[in-house]
Amino acid sequence: MDNNWIIDNLNYAFGVWNDKLTEMWSLLTQSPQAFKGGTIWQTIQTVNGAMQGIGYGLLVLFLAIGIFRSSASFRDFQRPEHVLRHFIYFVMAKLAVTYGIDLMVDIFAVCAGIISAAAGSVGGNDGAAGALPVPAEMAAAIEDVGFLASIPLWLVTLLGCLVITVLAFLMILTAYGRFFRLYLYAALSPVALASFAGEGTSQMGRAFLKSYMGVCLEGAVIVLACIVFSAFAASGTVVLGGGSVVTQVWGYLGEVIFNMLVLVGLVKGADRVVREMFGM
């Protein structure tokens, strides 16, 4: 059997990884309004409009809760400053419910600026989504292996290619999951932001905004992780060791997969990193 089949498998696995890394990079630098041609965003706007009706109803409920929580007696209602404070809460909550989706877009735009600045510092997609080719010396060594000696080599490369492919799809699924969470936040924002109508319930709205900002900032953490990974992959740290070709390939794939595991771990743990950094 031609040993080029082994090299083709490795190139295919690295090609899947490079494609998913590039796709994830494009997702991180894309706005929710432009994703998939804006069709999903139009649906989210429709859902948000339906949620506004519920949000307006909750405004009265949260206002009543805030008034009764902060009023020690009926005399408090006779004080103008007491009524004015709750009126301001109500007006601010009303504006938040009405223009909540615009607020979501503005917050995302600020975080997108951070992502763009990080991406632009390394030249954009070409500077961060570096490719992982099969080293030429390893490809030459594989081609010279005999049939019997190539059998364990097939097993090693098949296992390594399977792991690389799985890691690539785990990474891109995390990026898509972040996009879907952004859409969920935008769709349900009127319900959460209505809590600002009550002084005692406003912490719900603050928690919602902090959580949404955390999801937006996950993109910056993922971009920085990709930049570090690409710089590490381009540094030539992965080298072939001595011994048989099987040992060299196993050592090479092991080191590459370890680096990929570090990146995938950072991508999947971006939410935890954001919480630790910013206390969200």
Side-chain angles (χ1 to χ4, degrees), residues 18 37 41 82-83 91 98 100 111 120 123 141 168 182 198 200 214 217 256:
N18 294 329
W41 183 251
H82 181 79
V83 177
V91 172
T98 304
C111 296
L182 291 173
L217 287 173
V256 169

Side-chain angles (χ1 to χ4, degrees), residues 208-222:
F208 173 83
L209 291 178
K210 288 175 61 177
S211 180
Y212 176 76
M213 290 178 61
V215 176
C216 293
L217 287 173
E218 286 178 22
V221 174
I222 295 174

Side-chain angles (χ1 to χ4, degrees), residues 44-62:
I44 294 302
Q45 287 180 313
T46 302
V47 176
N48 180 272
M51 291 296 106
Q52 283 184 5
I54 300 176
Y56 292 143
L58 291 174
L59 283 175
V60 180
L61 176 62
F62 288 129

